Amino acid sequence: MNEPVELQLLSDLPPPADDSISGPGGAYAFFYATATAADPYILVYERARDFLSAPRAFVVLALSAAETDAVELNSVLEYDGIDYDTEGNMLQHGCFQLINSGAGFGQDQCHFLLSVPGRRCEILCREYQLKATLYHCQSASQALRLFLHQAE
């Protein structure tokens, strides 16, 4: 019998925006690489603001994986056939680790989930690391390009 999936909030990461000029759920951008420690995936998401006059900020995460490159990007709007709400807790928004997901390959694998209104980004990774917070960018894509340019 399968254990129910649990969401564990990753309190070490800033919460994603729940509303933005980019639309519901803010914005995120993803760079797919080999996901090794030397060449990780890069995920950029818009951080929630305490008040509207605060500058937009984008969080940059590096996610590395050794044994798998499982990545799943879903939009509730595009994939109406996928029922994310069967567990009930999938309506929560934020950065989570899925516990008992059945997708992980070993104890050292993290099933990372970025959940924003209307969209989900799931990545199986060895670890995630907060790399930077970038301010005054117009979009997550621009923040991703800026980060990659600075890393050269």
Side-chain angles (χ1 to χ4, degrees), residues 32-52:
Y32 181 89
T34 56
T36 64
D39 196 13
Y41 301 135
I42 303 295
L43 176 66
V44 177
Y45 67 89
E46 188 172 0
R47 187 183 77 183
R49 297 187 284 177
D50 293 337
F51 47 92
L52 290 178

Side-chain angles (χ1 to χ4, degrees), residues 13-63:
L13 296 178
D18 57 5
D19 197 8
S20 152
I21 60 173
S22 299
Y28 66 83
F30 183 70
F31 177 75
Y32 181 89
T34 56
T36 64
D39 196 13
Y41 301 135
I42 303 295
L43 176 66
V44 177
Y45 67 89
E46 188 172 0
R47 187 183 77 183
R49 297 187 284 177
D50 293 337
F51 47 92
L52 290 178
S53 62
R56 293 178 77 188
F58 294 89
V59 175
V60 180
L61 297 178
L63 302 106

Side-chain angles (χ1 to χ4, degrees), residues 72-86:
E72 189 169 332
L73 305 174
N74 289 316
S75 166
V76 174
L77 302 175
E78 294 176 9
Y79 296 94
D80 290 334
I82 298 175
D83 187 5
Y84 283 106
D85 304 329
T86 55

Side-chain angles (χ1 to χ4, degrees), residues 93-135:
H93 300 135
C95 296
F96 299 96
Q97 180 174 353
L98 272 65
I99 309 297
N100 301 326
S101 71
F105 299 100
Q107 295 291 68
D108 57 349
Q109 197 77 277
C110 172
H111 190 160
F112 177 88
L113 171 71
L114 172 66
S115 179
V116 295
R119 286 176 266 166
R120 308 287 183 277
C121 175
E122 297 182 46
I123 302 170
L124 294 180
C125 61
R126 179 78 61 211
E127 64 182 0
Y128 63 89
Q129 182 181 22
L130 179 63
K131 298 299 278 185
T133 301
L134 303 175
Y135 295 90

